[in-house]
Amino acid sequence: MTSLRNHRVIIASLFLPTTAVLGESTPPTPDIHARDDPPTPLNGTTGKTNGTGNRPPFRHQSSRSVGGSAPLKSIVEDLKSTTRTRWPVLKVPQYRQPSASLVLHPLPQARNQAFLHLNTLYPILTVHSRSRASFKQLIKTYNIPLVSSANSLAPRLAALVMAILPMTAFKDRLTQKLWVGTLGNSTDKFGPELRSNIDVRMRQMCSSVPVWIPDAEFESCYDEFCHQVLWPCLHYAVPDAPKTKLFYESASFKQYMSVNKRFADIIIQNYREGDMIWVNDYHLMLLPALLRAHPKLANAPIGFFQHVAFPSSEIFRCLSVRESLLRGVLAADLVGFQTAGYARHFRQTVSRILALEALPKGIQVERTYGSAGGANGAVPKSEQKGRFVDVGVFPMGIDVSALREKKREPDVAYWVQLLRQRYAGMKMIVGRDKLDEIQGVRHKLEAFERFLKKHPEFQGKVVLIQVALQTTESNELAGGVSDVVARINAAYSTLTYQPVVFLHTQEVTFSQYLALLTIADAFLVTSLREGMALRTHEFVECQEERHRPLILSEFTGSYSYSGFRSCIAINPYDTRGTANAIHQALTMSDEDALSRWEDLHNHVVTQTAQTFVTSFLTRCLRANTEHTAQTDPSMVPVVDMARVLPQYKHSSKRLLLFDFEGALWIRDMSRAGLLAPFEPQKETLALLKRLSDDKRNEVWLLSGLPVKGALDKIADAVPGLGIVAENGCFVKTRETAKAPAKWIDMVANLNFTWKGPCIEILNYFTERTPGSFVEEREASIIWRFWTGPTDDCSDRQWARRQAAEAQNHIFDSLGERYGLRIIPGANSFLILPNNISRSTAVGAILHPGGPAHSPRSGMALSVAHTESHHVGDDASFVFAVGGDEKLLRRLNELDNGETVSTSRKGTDAKWKLDPNEVISVLGQFTNVH
């Protein structure tokens, strides 16, 4: 955390954690209790007081102290339920003219994990509606001045909480931060003076900068593109084309681009050197590219985190704007996901759609082929010159300490006691979900109905309490739960019993919700697709005393972690299986339940919100450091032999490391040249022999070529030359007077049964890619997918797409199982075992007692410990020429090391050199006496 303290973090999310509302008083939401400090008006005035200088305390009338004299009521009445009415009735309280004051209201910290709607705006006018449009209509009808509607924010704040909760939990240690986002309410009628006032006070008091977006533009971006296009696609819910023309032909992408551009403008205005930028969620997928395109932020640390699921490439490719979205995200240094599956889907999607190299650790963004560009059609400069984008997995968690503190409040104990009395002798199943089809609430209800039919002994003895989060009206209609609720309650209700209690979040306080989690006999999640279901973490933490089981959908991100495998896993599409899981949970023994709970709880307390923030920001900073370390080729000087030759001349011991391909040998990449027998150039052999004959030199040739039929010819011609073959799979020691040369197998203990199925996959793609062929070597395989002209013709584009598909097939089926890595090139890619490279081979050469047994293996000691050693007289000159950046970076740590890059790309090397000039430049060493 020391490094993070030195950086201010700019956190970009669609909504700010603090907002401003117009009014003179602040009626709290049901989950807001008495506060000692009143909200701060923006105009410096205070609201009405009770004569003591403080606002009169407010407590929700249902929140009574334990032991109060109020008569015991049913949970439906206690929680003000309207379960028999599908939607709350529109209520318009007596209107009071608001004053001109604006009041800041922060998000609750501990309680915000339970309810994604949060009711962060405390309005004068309370409107139960599901869209800003309906609220505007109400204002028009009643001729009421514009005030904010808390409940209209309900569907929009889901993404906000997922994005900002971990950061608010981390506020004590992450002291330097700046929030950038919208206020979340209608702002068209806010005049310039009022907006300026809000900007100043939000910046001073909340470290926040509002982004002002016209209402119509915001609605089109959020309600249409984000909710009707991106949200279904990301959750595997691509609609049928005839019914949803909007999904495929949405014009709202223009508004989506405009909103992202407004965010970029605000961040650029407020950016200062050393800031880190954290972009949150799918609402801002274009933002990283817009920021990176500005010269001021060309090397700024930018991280993007996806708080929801990411689908397979077959789903994402349905989006007409797929390339713009992907290129927007790839401008970040780090792209984070909640599970390894979502990260893998992203890598595959990028590989298949953009034909970029997808490695297990990230994406290699080389120069762009084709005409696809970023958000505005242009290719970011960072992508033009090539860069690596880290892709990581960062499981989110909850603030465990804050939740524990909240559980100890008297209100929670009161509701626990009340619910136990009300439902004595009954089993309680609790759930909390959005009312859309993706959350699977209908599947949950149908499974519960089947459970009651199959196990009549539980009729009248079990109740399902479903807390429902609001979403857009169209999504609620698609969810289709009202008819199932009515059917179940009509079939099984009695005068004293109702099997399904359906609650909306605005009807339940956070204390009541925690009480429900505390006394629940099971918690049921039937999501059809979801990221980390943090409500399950809350349930596990609230079950410290009872240890009751969790029923969890296999399609949630939480289930992908081993700690949550102790839940009762279900397929929500299998109604019978879910019904059986309910019975298993309700009849589970205490010993079995305790064992399962311990595994779940261990994950919850380990993967906390604080851990999530720390790991993401630290990784983002490290990734940016690695990316910016590579200097643009135009800024790297050409090797100055006038400076290098004196060092070479006066050194008693020299280590010379040369790449063969791309440095000493420029290979003919045509099909005929690739298939022709290998014959080393006489000029190259003569140079290597003269250098290796010098007793002060130890010369090593680094190559990806096989031993048989290629490098063995060089070994026979130059016995005193050390050789690394197949990118580190084999090493030939130097011949000396004391020991003959010999080949060492560096991968002798590895399993190579993967080669057979790998070749089968490549043969499949070879048949479908004209001109391609497979090149099998002893420990590695190369697929040459293009051997034609280097221009970007349609055939080459097809070959690159085939190569991307082949890489993903190999990695998915063989990569993780056998520990393979894939190294793509411009016209081919290489498959070889993990942890094998030219860099590791050189480390073995240099390490004392290493497998290469070099006579002077100790002269450079271990490169991994260069911080504490000095080369001294034993290796006073190290000279490396090649394109392996990892190797060049390691050798740069040596005090007497000189590194030369021949890759013509961004490099960490001290010098650069054109490959066509390598022979002539190295020939100058042979003239030194």
Side-chain angles (χ1 to χ4, degrees):
M1 281 303 298
T2 303
S3 61
L4 293 181
R5 291 184 183 275
N6 299 328
H7 296 267
R8 184 181 68 166
V9 181
I10 299 179
I11 306 166
S13 60
L14 191 61
F15 300 102
L16 289 173
T18 307
T19 190
V21 295
L22 186 67
E24 62 175 358
S25 60
T26 58
T29 54
D31 59 324
I32 305 297
H33 300 293
R35 298 177 181 270
D36 295 331
D37 53 329
T40 307
L42 287 180
N43 62 357
T45 63
T46 59
K48 294 181 180 180
T49 65
N50 57 3
T52 63
N54 296 323
R55 292 181 183 273
F58 178 94
R59 183 172 292 273
H60 188 268
Q61 60 182 4
S62 297
S63 299
R64 302 174 296 272
S65 59
V66 180
S69 58
L72 182 65
K73 302 179 182 180
S74 70
I75 183 63
V76 178
E77 184 176 357
D78 280 330
L79 301 184
K80 296 189 173 182
S81 175
T82 56
T83 55
R84 296 185 183 274
T85 303
R86 182 178 181 190
W87 305 120
V89 179
L90 185 68
K91 302 176 182 179
V92 183
Q94 183 178 1
Y95 170 68
R96 293 179 294 170
Q97 177 69 34
S99 67
S101 65
L102 277 153
V103 188
L104 293 180
H105 294 285
L107 288 174
Q109 297 299 323
R111 60 176 65 89
N112 60 5
Q113 300 170 39
F115 301 117
L116 299 185
H117 76 292
L118 294 177
N119 287 328
T120 55
L121 305 181
Y122 311 139
I124 304 302
L125 175 65
T126 302
V127 183
H128 294 284
S129 62
R130 256 155 300 283
S131 69
R132 198 187 315 202
S134 61
F135 177 64
K136 286 183 175 179
Q137 182 62 37
L138 181 71
I139 293 174
K140 181 178 180 181
T141 303
Y142 289 91
N143 194 26
I144 300 173
L146 183 65
V147 291
S148 302
S149 171
N151 295 309
S152 66
L153 270 179
R156 295 176 180 165
L157 288 172
L160 164 65
V161 173
M162 294 297 289
I164 68 174
L165 166 62
M167 287 160 276
T168 57
F170 206 60
K171 62 178 183 178
D172 294 335
R173 298 176 66 185
L174 193 62
T175 56
Q176 300 185 68
K177 56 183 176 290
L178 181 68
W179 299 89
V180 176
T182 68
L183 294 178
N185 55 331
S186 181
T187 58
D188 275 0
K189 294 190 177 181
F190 285 22
E193 183 177 355
L194 185 57
R195 293 189 181 193
S196 178
N197 192 8
I198 293 176
D199 286 340
V200 173
R201 300 301 295 275
M202 291 284 283
R203 183 65 176 265
Q204 293 176 348
M205 303 172 60
C206 309
S207 299
S208 300
V209 179
V211 179
W212 301 101
I213 301 175
D215 292 349
E217 181 180 302
F218 183 88
E219 286 180 8
S220 180
C221 166
Y222 187 81
D223 293 332
E224 185 174 330
F225 188 77
C226 291
H227 267 191
Q228 304 303 323
V229 179
L230 278 183
W231 176 264
C233 177
L234 294 173
H235 292 82
Y236 289 78
V238 176
D240 295 334
K243 300 178 183 178
T244 54
K245 184 178 180 181
L246 174 68
F247 181 89
Y248 300 95
E249 300 180 12
S250 175
S252 58
F253 184 64
K254 295 181 180 179
Q255 284 71 40
Y256 183 82
M257 288 192 297
S258 179
V259 168
N260 278 255
K261 182 65 168 61
R262 293 178 186 273
F263 269 81
D265 293 340
I266 293 297
I267 293 176
I268 291 170
Q269 291 173 13
N270 291 273
Y271 177 82
R272 64 191 187 200
E273 192 68 26
D275 285 351
M276 298 176 61
I277 302 172
W278 187 347
V279 181
N280 287 277
D281 225 358
Y282 64 100
H283 315 97
L284 303 173
M285 293 182 75
L286 303 179
L287 184 55
L290 294 170
L291 295 174
R292 188 70 73 190
H294 195 278
K296 186 178 178 181
L297 285 80
N299 294 317
I302 300 176
F304 176 87
F305 188 80
Q306 179 89 344
H307 291 266
V308 297
F310 195 91
S312 70
S313 60
E314 293 301 317
I315 300 295
F316 196 85
R317 71 194 303 181
C318 296
L319 290 174
S320 61
V321 293
R322 58 193 186 181
E323 293 195 19
S324 296
L325 296 175
L326 292 176
R327 294 199 185 279
V329 171
L330 288 176
D333 295 295
L334 171 65
V335 180
F337 295 91
Q338 298 189 27
T339 72
Y342 300 153
R344 184 177 66 253
H345 289 165
F346 177 76
R347 294 194 304 267
Q348 292 174 346
T349 301
V350 169
S351 177
R352 291 173 181 176
I353 294 178
L354 301 182
L356 296 176
E357 172 191 354
L359 302 175
K361 292 184 179 180
I363 307 295
Q364 182 63 50
V365 183
E366 301 289 356
R367 71 179 184 88
T368 304
Y369 293 86
S371 58
N376 57 358
V379 179
K381 292 182 179 179
S382 59
E383 192 170 320
Q384 291 175 6
K385 70 179 183 179
R387 58 197 298 273
F388 189 81
V389 180
D390 282 26
V391 176
V393 178
F394 307 91
M396 294 181 65
I398 63 173
D399 188 347
V400 177
S401 59
L403 186 61
R404 288 175 177 172
E405 182 180 350
K406 179 63 180 177
K407 286 194 305 178
R408 291 192 289 265
E409 292 186 2
D411 255 12
V412 177
Y414 164 74
W415 282 104
V416 167
Q417 177 181 325
L418 184 67
L419 289 169
R420 282 175 175 167
Q421 293 177 10
R422 172 63 182 83
Y423 291 100
M426 297 185 67
K427 299 289 187 179
M428 291 183 61
I429 303 172
V430 176
R432 178 172 65 83
D433 308 273
K434 269 188 177 182
L435 289 182
D436 59 30
E437 56 182 340
I438 295 172
Q439 294 295 312
V441 179
R442 184 180 181 89
H443 298 71
K444 177 188 301 186
L445 295 170
E446 290 175 343
F448 182 66
E449 181 182 28
R450 186 180 187 90
F451 164 76
L452 292 176
K453 289 181 180 179
K454 186 176 181 180
H455 301 280
E457 67 274 14
F458 279 96
Q459 296 177 11
K461 298 180 181 179
V462 62
V463 60
L464 170 62
I465 298 182
Q466 177 63 46
V467 181
L469 280 72
Q470 290 179 335
T471 180
T472 61
E473 189 168 0
S474 60
N475 286 346
E476 286 186 344
L477 292 174
V481 299
S482 58
D483 58 329
V484 184
V485 173
R487 185 173 68 238
I488 296 174
N489 285 340
Y492 300 102
S493 292
T494 66
L495 290 175
T496 59
Y497 169 70
Q498 179 175 307
V500 179
V501 178
F502 211 77
L503 306 171
H504 288 280
T505 48
Q506 68 267 23
E507 304 165 326
V508 186
T509 71
F510 189 68
S511 297
Q512 293 167 349
Y513 175 70
L514 291 183
L516 286 173
L517 296 183
T518 302
I519 69 167
D521 293 283
F523 192 84
L524 180 56
V525 178
T526 55
S527 300
L528 307 184
R529 189 70 59 174
E530 189 177 359
M532 296 296 290
L534 296 185
R535 57 193 182 280
T536 61
H537 296 227
E538 297 163 352
F539 168 74
V540 171
E541 180 59 31
C542 288
Q543 286 286 319
E544 282 188 301
E545 296 181 2
R546 304 191 66 236
H547 313 128
R548 298 317 300 165
L550 167 68
I551 307 173
L552 184 63
S553 168
E554 298 173 355
F555 299 106
T556 62
S558 298
Y559 180 73
S560 65
Y561 290 94
S562 58
F564 270 78
R565 296 297 172 86
S566 295
C567 67
I568 301 176
I570 59 169
N571 176 359
Y573 296 98
D574 180 8
T575 304
R576 180 180 300 176
T578 305
N580 293 336
I582 294 175
H583 183 264
Q584 178 186 354
L586 297 182
T587 58
M588 183 176 292
S589 65
D590 292 342
E591 294 78 10
D592 188 10
L594 175 60
S595 175
R596 291 171 178 265
W597 179 87
E598 288 175 344
D599 292 338
L600 295 169
H601 190 253
N602 182 61
H603 177 91
V604 170
V605 298
T606 303
Q607 297 294 341
T608 62
Q610 291 84 349
T611 302
F612 163 69
V613 173
T614 304
S615 59
F616 183 86
L617 292 180
T618 303
R619 174 82 173 270
C620 181
L621 190 61
R622 184 175 70 246
N624 175 261
T625 302
E626 294 174 355
H627 299 164
T628 55
Q630 289 193 348
T631 309
D632 189 280
S634 61
M635 304 299 294
V636 180
V638 177
V639 59
D640 186 356
M641 295 304 292
R643 293 179 53 185
V644 174
L645 287 175
Q647 299 180 51
Y648 177 85
K649 180 178 181 178
H650 299 292
S651 300
S652 58
K653 302 296 181 184
R654 309 156 180 153
L655 175 63
L656 307 180
L657 304 166
F658 304 137
D659 271 3
F660 187 55
E661 304 95 312
L664 295 177
W665 179 47
I666 308 301
R667 189 171 192 179
D668 180 6
M669 300 305 294
S670 67
R671 181 179 180 85
L674 292 171
L675 295 176
F678 173 76
E679 290 296 336
Q681 295 176 329
K682 295 180 180 181
E683 183 183 10
T684 303
L685 294 177
L687 173 66
L688 293 174
K689 183 169 178 55
R690 287 199 301 269
L691 289 173
S692 60
D693 286 345
D694 190 326
K695 295 182 180 180
R696 292 182 294 176
N697 293 343
E698 181 169 339
V699 185
W700 286 85
L701 187 68
L702 314 178
S703 175
L705 295 176
V707 176
K708 295 181 180 179
L711 296 180
D712 54 355
K713 296 181 180 180
I714 298 179
D716 294 339
V718 189
L721 179 69
I723 300 177
V724 173
E726 291 199 36
N727 295 287
C729 294
F730 303 94
V731 173
K732 185 194 89 67
T733 59
R734 298 171 60 246
E735 182 180 80
T736 64
K738 298 181 179 180
K742 63 178 180 179
W743 284 98
I744 300 174
D745 189 350
M746 305 288 285
V747 292
N749 297 325
L750 298 183
N751 181 4
F752 284 93
T753 56
W754 58 268
K755 292 181 66 179
C758 181
I759 291 176
E760 289 184 12
I761 294 174
L762 292 177
N763 286 336
Y764 170 86
F765 284 95
T766 299
E767 294 175 359
R768 290 154 180 80
T769 310
S772 64
F773 64 93
V774 179
E775 186 178 322
E776 182 181 2
R777 297 174 178 175
E778 191 167 345
S780 58
I781 299 174
I782 290 182
W783 189 44
R784 308 281 184 183
F785 58 83
W786 180 253
T787 56
T790 57
D791 60 314
D792 193 25
C793 59
S794 59
D795 288 343
R796 189 184 186 194
Q797 292 179 2
W798 167 255
R800 288 178 60 83
R801 285 194 293 269
Q802 291 294 95
E805 292 279 355
Q807 291 178 54
N808 280 284
H809 276 290
I810 293 170
F811 184 79
D812 291 345
S813 59
L814 305 172
E816 296 182 7
R817 180 180 177 186
Y818 290 99
L820 305 178
R821 69 187 183 113
I822 301 174
I823 305 176
N827 301 307
S828 63
F829 64 82
L830 169 71
I831 308 109
L832 75 167
N834 257 331
N835 303 318
I836 296 295
S837 67
R838 301 184 190 190
S839 178
T840 56
V842 171
I845 293 168
L846 299 179
H847 196 280
H853 301 293
S854 170
R856 297 192 188 91
S857 60
M859 66 179 176
L861 298 179
S862 173
V863 178
H865 301 88
T866 54
E867 293 184 359
S868 59
H869 94 280
H870 299 280
V871 178
D873 294 335
D874 210 19
S876 54
F877 183 75
V878 178
F879 190 76
V881 180
D884 190 323
E885 285 299 318
K886 186 176 182 181
L887 174 60
L888 298 177
R889 200 157 39 236
R890 293 182 67 181
L891 295 177
N892 276 339
E893 299 174 3
L894 298 175
D895 293 336
N896 297 328
E898 297 290 342
T899 54
V900 183
S901 172
T902 58
S903 65
R904 297 174 178 170
K905 301 177 182 178
T907 179
D908 292 330
K910 298 178 181 179
W911 310 96
K912 69 179 178 181
L913 185 61
D914 189 286
N916 296 310
E917 301 177 358
V918 171
I919 296 293
S920 61
V921 170
L922 295 182
Q924 299 181 42
F925 287 139
T926 62
N927 299 324
V928 175
H929 300 288

